């Protein structure tokens, strides 16, 4: 097993979240949710501390982290890009949009660009099917995205570029 | 308890509320096929994820078929277990499972013992009508266990063993949907995980997804190399189970036939791990008495209780999970390793063979023994004390491939000097046996008196946790026994909290002890089989003329000619070991 090498402060944070949920195994999902919202991601070392605090095996924690696509083990880019793969978005070309993002950024789903600017993930339905296919960059929603628009969207967030409006 | 009346395949039956259709059917002798379901009655463990769906039956008035293993009976139910609709659905389900399964049966380690293969055969599957994506997952090889997740049907039985019975917590289902796989945390390989190699997951896996590392090929090569002297040792629990691989009734002792089979396979000397078990008792018993003596004399430094150390999975368990207790277990090596160390020194000298030309093979009920023999500390100049550790199952396959008709073999005796053993050595194979053997010797050395009785029934049994107090001629000695690592954990927590009342504790990782080892013939969860093996072990003990380790004449000779005394410097070097913090 990897030895835990987290900052004292991070360990304290994890412990306090666990205590807040009574150190109960049944609260694992809530604990993970809270900690990811604070740290941005859930690396192995963090899962190990959580497992110890909730008195469960780290394999089970990892099992839950990998079951829900919401949880991530990789640090998010400065601008996390999520492409909806719900049925409506998929049918209306979500996959082609995803492919363009991969091509432009040179990364796979779940990865972050070397400069730490962008990360790529897929989402299940975000409930905006009328706008399919939908792309989220940070909190911002882009609707009816076509593969051709992908480079423009990325450019919006590149340094020195002015905002380009999309439909 | 409230009773419910229902009808299964035109038979009326009354069962308590809460009974599943599967259980109710079994009561009237109806077999419903199952794959993922597993029930270990005596341990109160049930695995019923309801995932495979091959157990579906037709319930009158219901639109959908019901999975028998996880559907409770209701009053007045009319169930048809083998209606054509149910059979047809089952076949479809099985075909779907098989559509994502490599058709590797010809070369699969589990072939002939595979529940999936048996079921395909039983249901007459001749063609798979569905074609879909196939799971591809890397093969994970460790010193003892191979994971081939392509062959996993996600029944979760292994998870239940690893998490609920053993509380080791290595395995969990990870990812979702088609990507789902049973894996250690972070998809690390088993040999980087906290796996103890107890093999209990292997013992219950219905398919070839989890198997032991097969070393029969290496042993065949050694046996066919004329420049090598190849010797073999057989662990106590093997003789009580090997017969099952040859259609003999569970609990049939096959010691003599096993010896003659090994001779026919070409081993130059057929020896007994029981001899080394007697040696273990000399060392461990002496260590126990020395610690106990100090403790009773008021020495505050001495660590109590002393724990047995002959189970490698248990050793790895505390090294990972209770490293702060690593000074408590006896430093005595396991019988397998004591045998190897003596064979490659004392015995090699005796027959004038160089260490490198002597190959030591062991036949073990155990998967973890493969790992144990590979530990660095059990080798001299890179040459291991034990070269290959085969499971009982691997021995059976060697016997089969050599066309030996096991059942008609004559009974033969072990070779000397490393084949002589007492009844105390034999009972090492069952839970409670190691500590009983230790008591027989420690009592006589401590008190200088002859034991008034040899059968300590208070130490025997199948309950997961047992305790007894043995009167050492006025001094009460508290003894604890645990089998299954979940039970062991309870005793360790007590020790950690300083609340343990025990002087000595025996721990074996496998439920039942080595008779239920991960390398034994598959018992498919039937604990009755373990009880029969246990009975066989005690009957072999009873039939021995000598039943106390310190009375073994060849052990006495070994000390006279070679080791000096128990815990001597030489004994320390060859027969003791140390433990590591692996947390
Ligand atoms: S060998 Fe034992 S500890 Fe290792 S994964 Fe299997 S059940 Fe768990
Ligand atoms: S590895 Fe074997 S026991 Fe474990 S889930 Fe897969 S098929 Fe079942
Ligand atoms: S109890 Fe016996 S068979 Fe099981 S792991 Fe320990 S030594 Fe091996
Ligand atoms: S045996 Fe019933 S669902 Fe698998």
């Amino acid at each position: 097993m990897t030895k835990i090498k987290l900052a004292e402060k991070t360990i304290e944070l994890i412990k306090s979240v666990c205590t807040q949920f009574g150190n109960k195994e049944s609260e694992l999902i809530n604990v993970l949710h809270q900690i990811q919202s604070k740290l941005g991601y859930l690396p192995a070392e963090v899962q190990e501390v959580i497992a110890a605090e909730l008195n469960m095996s780290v394999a089970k924690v990892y099992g839950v982290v990998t079951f829900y696509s919401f949880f991530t083990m990789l640090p998010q880019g400065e601008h996390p890009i999520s492409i909806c793969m719900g049925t409506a978005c998929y049918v209306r070309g979500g996959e082609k949009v995803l492919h363009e993002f991969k091509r432009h950024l040179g990364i796979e789903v779940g990865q972050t660009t070397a400069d730490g600017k962008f990360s790529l993930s897929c989402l299940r339905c975000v409930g905006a099917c009328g706008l399919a296919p939908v792309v989220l960059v940070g909190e911002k929603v882009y609707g009816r995205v076509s593969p051709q628009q992908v480079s423009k969207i990325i450019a919006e967030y590149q340094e020195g570029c002015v905002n380009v409006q999309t439909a | 308890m409230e009773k419910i009346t229902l009808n299964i395949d035109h038979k009326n039956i009354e069962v308590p509320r809460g009974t599943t259709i599967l259980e109710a059917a079994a009561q009237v002798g109806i077999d419903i096929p199952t794959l993922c379901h597993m029930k270990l009655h005596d341990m109160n463990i049930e695995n019923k994820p309801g995932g495979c769906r091959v157990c579906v039956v037709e319930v009158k008035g219901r639109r959908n078929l019901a999975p028998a293993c996880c559907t409770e009976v209701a009053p007045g139910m009319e169930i048809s277990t083998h209606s054509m609709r149910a059979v047809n659905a089952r076949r479809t389900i099985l075909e779907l499972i098989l559509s994502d399964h490599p058709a590797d049966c010809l070369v699969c380690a589990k072939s002939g013992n595979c529940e999936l293969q048996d079921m395909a055969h039983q249901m007459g599957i001749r063609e798979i009508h569905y074609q879909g994506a196939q799971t591809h997952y890397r093969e994970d090889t460790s010193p003892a266990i191979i994971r081939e997740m392509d062959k996993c049907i996600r029944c979760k039985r292994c998870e239940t063993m690893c998490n609920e019975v053993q509380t080791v917590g290595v395995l969990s289902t990870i990812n979702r949907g088609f990507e789902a796989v049973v894996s250690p945390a972070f998809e690390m390989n088993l040999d980087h995980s906290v796996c103890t190699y107890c093999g209990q997951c292997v013992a219950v896996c219905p398919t070839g997804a989890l198997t032991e590392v097969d070393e029969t090929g290496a042993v065949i090569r050694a046996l066919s190399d004329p420049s090598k002297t190849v010797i073999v040792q057989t662990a106590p629990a093997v003789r009580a189970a090997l017969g099952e691989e040859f259609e003999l009734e569970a609990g049939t002792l096959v010691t003599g036939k096993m010896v003659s089979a090994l001779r026919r396979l070409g081993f130059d000397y057929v020896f007994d791990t029981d001899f080394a078990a007697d040696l273990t008792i000399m060392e461990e018993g002496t260590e126990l008495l020395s610690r106990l003596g100090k403790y009773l004399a008021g020495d505050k430094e001495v660590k109590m209780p002393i724990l047995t150390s002959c189970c490698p999975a248990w050793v790895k368990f505390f090294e990972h999970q209770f490293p702060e207790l690593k000074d408590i277990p006896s430093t005595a090596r396991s019988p397998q390793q004591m045998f190897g160390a003596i064979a490659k020194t004392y015995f090699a000298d005796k027959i004038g063979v160089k260490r490198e030309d002597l190959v030591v093979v062991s036949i073990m009920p155990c998967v973890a023994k493969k790992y144990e023999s590979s530990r660095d500390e059990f080798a001299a100049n890179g040459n291991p004390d034990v070269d290959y550790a085969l499971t009982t199952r691997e021995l059976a396959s060697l016997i089969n491939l050599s066309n030996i008709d096991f059942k008609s073999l004559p009974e033969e005796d072990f070779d000397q000097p490393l084949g002589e053993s007492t009844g105390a050595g034999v009972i090492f194979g069952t839970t409670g046996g190691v500590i009983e053997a230790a008591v027989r010797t420690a009592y006589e050395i401590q008190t200088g008196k002859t034991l008034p009785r040899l059968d300590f029934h208070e130490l025997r049994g199948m309950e997961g946790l047992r305790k007894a107090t043995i009167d050492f001629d006025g001094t009460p000695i508290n003894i604890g026994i645990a089998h299954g690592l979940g039970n062991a954990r309870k005793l360790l927590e007590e020790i950690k909290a300083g609340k343990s009342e025990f002087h000595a504790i025996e721990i074996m990782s496998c439920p039942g002890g080595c008779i239920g080892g991960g390398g034994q013939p598959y018992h498919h969860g039937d604990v009755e089989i373990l009880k029969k093996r246990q009975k066989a072990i005690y009957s072999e003990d009873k039939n021995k003329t000598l039943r106390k380790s310190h009375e073994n004449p060849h052990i006495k000779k070994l000390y006279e000619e070679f080791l000096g005394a128990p815990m001597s410097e030489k004994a320390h070097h060859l027969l003791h070991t140390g433990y590591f913090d692996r947390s």
Side-chain angles (χ1 to χ4, degrees):
Chain A
M1 262 216 183
T2 43
K3 284 274 178 202
I4 294 167
K5 34 181 183 342
L6 289 173
E8 223 24 75
K9 214 172 76 224
T10 315
I11 298 180
E12 283 316 310
L13 173 89
I14 299 170
K15 286 189 175 168
S16 81
V17 172
C18 291
T19 329
Q20 189 190 321
F21 286 100
N23 290 73
K24 286 204 217 93
E25 184 175 338
S26 54
E27 295 286 351
L28 175 65
I29 293 183
N30 288 327
V31 168
L32 291 171
H33 202 124
Q34 279 264 335
I35 294 177
Q36 178 164 303
S37 76
K38 297 198 153 104
L39 300 179
Y41 69 122
L42 298 165
E45 296 80 5
V46 168
Q47 294 179 42
E48 281 171 3
V49 180
I50 296 173
E53 288 303 298
L54 304 187
N55 198 15
M56 61 191 294
S57 84
V58 54
K60 290 277 168 205
V61 174
Y62 179 71
V64 171
V65 168
T66 53
F67 184 84
Y68 295 101
S69 55
F70 171 78
F71 294 125
T72 169
M73 284 184 64
L74 292 167
Q76 297 285 295
E78 202 181 314
H79 307 290
I81 303 175
S82 314
I83 293 106
C84 181
M85 283 289 145
T87 313
C89 289
Y90 187 86
V91 174
R92 304 197 52 176
E95 206 181 12
K96 290 200 195 86
V97 173
L98 171 64
H99 183 80
E100 276 304 293
F101 273 108
K102 285 193 200 168
R103 199 173 62 85
H104 277 281
L105 299 173
I107 54 173
E108 288 296 312
V109 171
Q111 292 180 337
T112 301
T113 51
D115 60 4
K117 267 203 159 334
F118 298 100
S119 55
L120 203 51
S121 66
C122 287
L123 285 174
R124 308 280 161 203
C125 186
V126 292
C129 307
L131 295 176
V134 171
V135 170
L136 269 120
V137 182
E139 306 272 289
K140 188 164 175 190
V141 183
Y142 296 80
R144 303 211 180 89
V145 179
S146 69
Q148 290 73 28
Q149 287 170 316
V150 166
S151 57
K152 276 198 279 170
I153 297 179
I154 294 173
E156 263 185 64
Y157 297 89
Q158 300 282 28
E159 234 167 338
C161 285
V162 269
N163 265 6
V164 186
Q165 277 307 319
T166 43
Chain B
M1 193 179 270
E2 194 197 334
K3 294 276 192 184
I4 285 177
T5 316
L6 69 153
N7 182 289
I8 305 182
D9 293 350
H10 310 297
K11 288 183 194 159
N12 284 321
I13 159 173
E14 206 187 57
V15 292
R17 183 177 282 284
T19 308
T20 62
I21 296 177
L22 182 68
E23 290 162 336
Q27 282 183 27
V28 280
I30 298 166
D31 248 345
I32 300 172
T34 56
L35 259 184
C36 63
H37 179 260
M38 169 183 76
K39 185 158 187 168
L40 305 171
H41 292 271
D42 288 30
M43 281 175 251
N44 226 342
I45 294 278
E46 187 167 13
N47 177 67
K48 51 171 180 183
C52 77
R53 286 325 213 222
V54 300
C55 64
V56 287
V57 296
E58 193 165 355
V59 180
K60 195 171 164 194
R62 279 208 198 188
R63 208 157 53 91
N64 293 330
L65 298 173
C69 69
C70 48
T71 307
E72 289 183 6
V73 293
M77 253 186 184
E78 278 179 53
I79 295 163
S80 172
T81 65
H82 286 75
S83 71
M84 277 307 126
R85 187 175 157 220
V87 167
N88 187 42
R90 240 173 249 157
R91 281 169 54 106
T92 307
I93 289 165
L94 194 59
E95 278 188 48
L96 285 169
I97 295 174
L98 292 171
S99 74
D100 181 21
H101 196 88
D104 265 2
C105 290
L106 273 180
V107 288
C108 179
K110 208 56 172 278
S111 189
N113 265 313
C114 173
E115 293 178 38
L116 186 62
Q117 188 186 48
D118 289 350
M119 191 161 293
H121 178 71
Q122 192 198 338
M123 295 204 192
I125 309 286
R126 291 288 170 270
E127 196 184 335
I128 294 156
H129 295 89
Y130 307 96
Q131 251 182 13
Q134 292 256 329
T135 314
H136 290 292
Y137 198 82
R138 67 171 200 279
E139 188 175 304
D140 170 12
T141 306
S142 70
I145 293 173
I146 301 179
R147 290 171 57 231
E148 277 179 78
M149 287 300 116
D150 292 2
K151 295 179 182 168
C152 173
I153 57 166
R154 288 182 278 289
C155 68
K156 291 172 177 263
R157 290 189 194 178
C158 54
E159 274 187 71
T160 298
M161 292 313 282
C162 191
N163 294 287
E164 284 171 48
V165 178
Q166 301 298 58
T167 69
V168 181
V170 176
L171 298 175
S172 171
T173 303
I174 61 158
N175 301 332
R176 69 191 290 165
F178 193 69
E179 309 284 302
V181 58
V182 178
S183 159
F186 316 124
E187 300 198 46
M188 63 174 114
N189 286 345
L190 266 190
D191 66 348
H192 291 130
S193 76
V194 297
C195 173
T196 66
Y197 300 124
C198 71
Q200 287 302 311
C201 53
V202 174
V204 300
C205 180
T207 72
L210 294 169
T211 52
E212 70 263 47
V213 170
D214 186 339
E215 293 178 285
T216 51
V219 170
I220 292 173
R221 279 192 294 283
L223 285 169
S224 52
D225 181 346
S227 70
K228 302 282 182 206
T229 303
V230 190
I231 71 174
V232 65
Q233 57 166 327
T234 62
V238 176
R239 66 208 66 191
L242 178 63
E244 291 163 34
E245 293 277 345
F246 302 97
E247 279 92 46
L248 291 167
E249 180 55 29
T252 312
L253 269 175
V254 295
T255 319
K257 288 188 191 303
M258 173 181 72
V259 173
S260 58
L262 289 166
R263 259 194 208 111
R264 278 162 183 70
L265 285 171
F267 288 99
D268 296 297
Y269 296 87
V270 181
F271 289 140
D272 202 355
T273 313
D274 294 17
F275 169 85
D278 280 336
L279 187 57
T280 303
I281 288 301
M282 299 304 293
E283 295 295 326
E284 196 169 282
T286 310
E287 191 187 350
L288 166 72
L289 289 176
S290 116
R291 263 159 73 172
L292 196 61
K294 286 186 202 153
Y295 174 77
L296 294 174
D299 184 341
K300 293 274 174 292
E301 295 292 286
V302 62
K303 298 233 166 70
M304 275 299 181
I306 188 167
L307 309 177
T308 57
S309 55
C310 30
C311 169
W314 145 236
V315 167
K316 195 158 184 282
F317 180 73
F318 74 70
E319 286 182 328
H320 283 291
Q321 314 227 1
F322 293 88
E324 62 276 42
L325 300 181
K326 74 181 179 6
D327 296 333
I328 300 193
S330 160
T331 58
R333 292 185 190 179
S334 72
Q336 158 169 281
Q337 295 307 142
M338 286 202 181
F339 181 94
I342 293 297
K344 289 219 172 162
T345 53
Y346 173 74
F347 181 69
D349 279 353
K350 243 186 183 352
I351 57 168
V353 170
K354 284 206 302 276
R355 178 181 182 101
E356 295 69 37
D357 293 330
L358 185 69
V359 178
V360 175
V361 176
S362 27
I363 312 296
M364 295 282 140
C366 182
V367 172
K369 290 283 171 189
K370 289 177 184 287
Y371 154 77
E372 183 184 49
S373 65
S374 77
R375 284 179 67 130
D376 292 342
E377 60 270 34
F378 300 137
N381 304 324
N383 178 277
D385 293 345
V386 172
D387 295 85
Y388 308 109
L390 302 186
T391 60
T392 310
R393 294 189 292 263
E394 285 175 276
L395 172 59
S397 92
L398 268 187
I399 294 173
N400 278 328
L401 69 83
S402 306
N403 199 26
I404 294 171
D405 179 10
F406 188 78
K407 279 204 263 193
S408 64
L409 285 174
E411 315 255 324
E412 291 178 8
D413 284 329
F414 287 106
D415 291 312
Q416 297 304 357
L418 310 183
E420 178 76 45
S421 69
T422 71
V426 178
I427 56 177
F428 261 62
T430 169
T431 168
V434 173
I435 207 74
E436 180 168 342
V439 165
R440 290 183 194 170
T441 288
Y443 179 97
E444 296 207 346
I445 296 180
Q446 174 76 5
T447 65
K449 294 183 184 167
T450 306
L451 266 178
R453 61 183 175 130
L454 279 171
D455 295 307
F456 289 84
H457 290 285
E458 60 270 52
L459 298 173
R460 301 181 183 180
M462 268 293 177
E463 304 81 68
L465 275 174
R466 307 195 293 283
K467 55 180 170 185
T469 302
I470 307 282
D471 176 16
F472 268 45
D473 202 29
T475 312
I477 302 297
N478 299 332
I479 288 172
I481 297 167
H483 56 117
L485 289 168
N487 292 318
R489 181 184 289 279
K490 293 181 193 147
L491 294 186
L492 292 172
E493 296 288 359
E494 273 180 27
I495 300 174
K496 223 167 104 173
K499 285 199 242 148
S500 184
E501 39 168 331
F502 299 115
H503 297 110
I505 295 177
E506 175 202 281
I507 292 173
M508 296 191 191
S509 298
C510 295
C514 303
I515 48 172
Q520 293 279 58
Y522 297 107
H523 57 69
H524 302 286
D526 184 351
V527 185
E528 285 311 307
I529 293 181
L530 296 189
K531 290 184 184 156
K532 288 180 188 161
R533 292 178 188 165
Q534 188 180 51
K535 231 171 119 198
I537 294 263
Y538 284 120
S539 83
E540 175 130 318
D541 168 35
K542 198 126 208 163
N543 291 335
K544 289 264 189 181
T545 343
L546 297 176
R547 297 181 61 197
K548 300 171 220 166
S549 299
H550 55 289
E551 290 180 350
N552 182 331
H554 286 283
I555 291 283
K556 290 187 198 165
K557 206 161 141 212
L558 176 67
Y559 278 108
E560 275 160 29
E561 287 181 5
F562 186 63
L563 291 168
M567 310 269 287
S568 67
E569 209 185 302
K570 198 164 204 170
H572 245 286
H573 176 61
L574 290 173
L575 308 179
H576 290 257
T577 186
Y579 308 111
F580 304 92
D581 180 347
R582 294 183 201 270
S583 63

